[in-house]
Amino acid sequence: MLLDQDSRNRLKYLFGSCVGFDEPMSRHTYFRVGGPAEAFIAPESIGQLAEIISWSRDKGIPYLVIGNGSNLLVKDNGIPGIVILLTKCFNKIVFSGKETEPVLVTAMAGVSTQALCSFAIREGLSGMNFAIGIPGTVGGAIMMNAGTSYGSVSDILDSVNVMISSGAMLKIPKDEMAFSYRKLSLNINLTDQYEGEPIIIDGCFRLCRSDPALLKKEAGRILKKRRENQPAEMPSAGSFFKNPPAGKTAGQFIDMAGLKGTRVGGAEISAKHANFIVNTGGASASDILELMQLVQKKVFDKFNINLEPEVKIVGI
Ligand SMILES: Cc1cc2nc3c(=O)[nH]c(=O)nc-3n(C[C@H](O)[C@H](O)[C@H](O)COP(=O)(O)OP(=O)(O)OC[C@H]3O[C@@H](n4cnc5c(N)ncnc54)[C@H](O)[C@@H]3O)c2cc1C
């Protein structure tokens, strides 16, 4: 482990009730699995966030920023170092250009993606409906370039404000971001220069004026389709594997390999959607990882296809 008693005391002194120790990550992930984070901090201001990351940089202690944990698989022995949760105070949505066309809306990283979708519908702004039903926060959606067959974050993002490991803030316009399938990479020179992944503080989105009633109707249709196709009643992290670049989806390959319903411990390939690994109750991260490897092997042996996880696997 990385935090000695002195470091723990110092963190307690600096961050008071915002810091907890040995916090089970199963409480902060949709999979409901994961061992403890050595320190778990929910900062109450940007200033406090800057203090945390410059303290951890000085001490050489790694940190991981999380949103709602809807795309995270935390291993059973937990996360050494500091986990930072932004949902406590980074939760405002504001117009940054109401009279412009397209309209510019800025949402802080801790805002839930669904709150941003509802805001857009209420205000009669189109562009967000692709994300209806995607769990998690705006920060997580930006980092994951979250999306569906209707679109993805990269279609509407204009710029982001990030905090780098010195605690300084930088605005990054879209042309300095590289988006790919379920991934955002920020300018490589930036990360080289400042070590550590930049933290998304907020994102500015370009939305277009539309009719709230039409948007609401469209959102209802999209949500209904999601509910029919996804096992939302069971803990999961959504689609476990990325779709291969062309041809069939990951779910179709897993289904064709006859793997629906396959179990390891409490982890199971959903019978409703083959690309969902669900926790049927009492699964460990090791169960899920073992099932992941079994799926990868069977699909590779049968179809010569390498399935790559979309879910972020963290911890030890
Ligand atoms: C039932 C279900 C359905 C889903 N459906 C979809 C879908 O249709 N499409 C889709 O794309 N995804 C889907 N997902 C996956 C997931 O909801 C998205 O990837 C979501 O955007 C993750 O957001 P989060 O806040 O939970 O991020 P987390 O899971 O907490 O984190 C994801 C990654 O982002 C990083 N991160 C989070 N916040 C920040 C920040 N502020 N700064 C820097 N890094 C950060 C984390 O370190 C981690 O690497 C689904 C998940 C579930 C459980």
Side-chain angles (χ1 to χ4, degrees):
M1 288 290 134
L2 301 172
L3 294 172
D4 58 19
Q5 196 53 49
D6 279 354
S7 299
R8 287 177 177 234
N9 293 344
R10 185 71 190 150
L11 284 173
K12 193 78 204 159
Y13 172 76
L14 288 172
F15 305 111
S17 61
C18 299
V19 60
F21 297 101
D22 309 313
E23 172 72 13
M25 287 302 293
S26 52
R27 290 187 190 153
H28 302 280
T29 60
Y30 270 54
F31 256 137
R32 298 283 170 258
V33 304
E38 262 192 294
F40 187 89
I41 311 184
E44 286 177 334
S45 65
I46 289 199
Q48 226 180 25
L49 177 64
E51 264 188 85
I52 297 163
I53 62 169
S54 50
W55 183 87
S56 51
R57 189 177 72 157
D58 291 348
K59 292 275 178 189
I61 305 280
Y63 60 81
L64 174 76
V65 177
I66 64 162
N68 281 155
S70 63
N71 207 45
L72 281 182
L73 174 57
V74 179
K75 293 187 187 175
D76 294 321
N77 290 325
I79 302 181
I82 299 174
V83 170
I84 303 172
L85 179 77
L86 296 188
T87 52
K88 199 162 168 184
C89 79
F90 295 79
N91 48 22
K92 287 198 176 59
I93 304 175
V94 293
F95 282 104
S96 33
K98 199 169 186 175
E99 307 312 324
T100 54
E101 185 63 52
V103 176
L104 296 175
V105 171
T106 295
M108 296 195 83
V111 169
S112 89
T113 303
Q114 290 318 291
L116 180 57
C117 290
S118 304
F119 173 91
I121 293 172
R122 229 175 19 249
E123 296 290 338
L125 297 170
S126 70
M128 275 310 303
N129 264 356
F130 77 87
I132 284 290
I134 301 181
T137 61
V138 165
I142 292 174
M143 280 314 281
M144 294 306 302
N145 188 17
T148 58
S149 55
Y150 302 101
S152 60
V153 165
S154 57
D155 300 332
I156 51 163
L157 193 64
D158 183 68
S159 62
V160 291
N161 279 306
V162 299
M163 185 179 282
I164 53 176
S165 61
S166 65
M169 296 275 289
L170 288 177
K171 181 172 180 158
I172 305 186
K174 188 174 187 174
D175 57 13
E176 287 177 25
M177 301 179 213
F179 284 103
S180 51
Y181 179 60
R182 301 293 166 264
K183 189 172 175 196
L184 162 66
S185 307
L186 296 167
N187 185 323
I188 197 72
N189 292 330
L190 183 77
T191 47
D192 278 355
Q193 196 178 344
Y194 293 103
E195 316 151 3
E197 283 287 319
I199 298 172
I200 306 283
I201 299 298
D202 62 42
C204 176
F205 297 90
R206 298 159 72 92
L207 304 175
C208 293
R209 281 176 230 288
S210 183
D211 175 8
L214 283 180
L215 290 170
K216 196 171 173 193
K217 212 165 158 195
E218 183 187 56
R221 264 200 318 271
I222 294 173
L223 205 54
K224 184 167 177 279
K225 207 166 153 200
R226 283 182 75 92
R227 287 191 181 131
E228 283 163 7
N229 297 328
Q230 294 186 359
E233 64 290 350
M234 286 202 166
S236 78
S239 293
F240 197 95
F241 298 100
K242 292 181 181 180
N243 286 324
K248 297 196 162 42
T249 64
Q252 285 168 329
F253 282 115
I254 299 167
D255 196 2
M256 289 186 313
L259 292 167
K260 271 185 172 176
T262 304
R263 284 181 81 126
V264 172
E268 185 179 280
I269 303 294
S270 164
K272 196 166 179 183
H273 190 314
N275 198 14
F276 275 54
I277 293 182
V278 293
N279 178 356
T280 60
S284 62
S286 318
D287 293 342
I288 295 169
L289 287 168
E290 203 179 308
L291 187 53
M292 172 190 90
Q293 284 162 359
L294 186 152
V295 169
Q296 285 172 317
K297 183 172 183 324
K298 291 260 159 132
V299 169
F300 185 79
D301 289 351
K302 212 161 175 164
F303 307 108
N304 206 25
I305 292 282
N306 265 316
L307 288 181
E308 204 190 310
E310 177 178 322
V311 168
K312 293 277 179 190
I313 301 165
V314 295
I316 54 174

